[in-house]
Amino acid sequence: MSDYLIGDVQGCFDSLQKLLKKIKFSSDKDRLFFLGDVVNRGNKSLETLRFIKDLRANAKMVLGNHDFHLLACVLGSKTPNRKDTFEDVLNAKDKLELIDFLRQQPLIIAHQDALLVHAGIPPMWNKEIALKQSSIVEKHLKGAKVGDFIDVMYGDQPYTWTNTLSEVQACRYTINACMRLRFCKADGTLEFKGKMNHNTAPKGFKAWFLHKNRALKNTDIFFGHWSTLSNIKQAHIYPMDHGCVWGSDLTGMLSAIRFDDKQVFSISC
Ligand SMILES: [Mn+2]
C-alpha cells in the first residue's frame, strides 16, 4: 500500500491513466493525493473529475485555481472564458454531484507531518495558521451561501496579511495564497505579475519557498501550480506540476511522488 501525490492533471485524463499504469496503481490498496488543478485546459476534465470522485476514500485533493474557477462558473456568477475547456463538466448529467464533490475539498491537506497545497503557503504562516485559514474557507465553500461567498473571493487584494483583516478579506488572501502564490515578500505580501522563472522575481519579492526565515522551512510541502520549478533542489520543497498540459513538444510531464520514499514517477504527455 502506497500513497502517491500527483501534480496538476488539468483534465489530461489519458496521461493520468498512463501514469497510474506506470505506478501499477491499485484502487483498493493505494491512495492518490491530487495537488489541485485537476480540471481545465486539457480535453477530459469530466472523466478526470468522475475518476477522482469515484475513488472515494482512496483519493484526496486540494483545490487549485482552475478547480475554483469551475466552482465559480457553476455556483457563482463567473462565466467560462475562451481558454476554458470544462464545458464537458458543465453539460454533464452528473454536473451537480461533481460540483458538490469539488466544493467539499480542502485548500490544504495535512498528511502525516507534511502539507499539501496547490500553490504555496506564505512564509510567515505556521502550520496552525495555515490549517485554520484553510478550514475557514472550507466552511464557507460547504455552506448554503457558497455562490455569494465565491463571488466576493475574486480579486488580488488584500496583498498583505495583517491582524486587522475582516473574515472576507482573510479568506480572499487565503485563497490567493493557497491557489495562486508564486512570488511574495517575507511578510507575505503577494505578487501576481511575475510568472515563470523563480530567479526572476520582481524587485523586493522572492519565490515563496526561498524566504530564509520561513516558518515552515522544516516541513515537507508538496504543491503544484508552478510548472517551471523542476530543477529546484530545496530541502522539504516538492514542486509537482511538471507541465503535463503543455504536451510533449514542451517536455510536458505528469508526475507522481511516492510519499514514503519520495521516489518520483513521470510520463511524458
Ligand atoms: Mn494552478
Side-chain angles (χ1 to χ4, degrees), residues 155-161 165 168-170 172-173 176 188 190 192:
D156 290 347
Q157 294 190 42
Y159 292 110
T160 302
W161 178 255
L165 299 181
V168 165
Q169 289 173 319
R172 206 186 293 135
Y173 180 92
N176 283 332
L190 307 172
F192 296 114

Side-chain angles (χ1 to χ4, degrees), residues 107-121:
L107 272 57
I108 299 175
I109 291 174
H111 185 50
Q112 298 179 27
D113 289 335
L115 293 178
L116 284 53
V117 65
H118 178 60
I121 296 178

Side-chain angles (χ1 to χ4, degrees), residues 4 6 20 25 30-34 51 55 58-60:
Y4 295 93
I6 298 178
L20 297 184
F25 171 64
D30 302 323
R31 288 188 299 185
L32 303 180
F33 293 75
F34 292 90
F51 178 77
L55 284 171
N58 286 70
K60 293 182 191 299

Side-chain angles (χ1 to χ4, degrees), residues 229-252:
L229 296 178
S230 44
N231 295 323
I232 286 282
K233 292 277 176 282
Q234 167 102 354
H236 303 292
I237 286 296
Y238 297 92
M240 293 305 299
D241 178 5
H242 296 170
C244 175
V245 77
W246 305 115
S248 56
D249 294 351
L250 294 165
T251 65

Side-chain angles (χ1 to χ4, degrees), residues 8 10 36-37 64-66 118-119 179-180 182 224-226 241:
D8 307 30
Q10 300 214 241
D37 282 358
N65 50 306
H66 286 286
H118 178 60
M179 297 187 196
R180 299 172 65 203
R182 287 190 179 99
H225 187 61
W226 201 345
D241 178 5

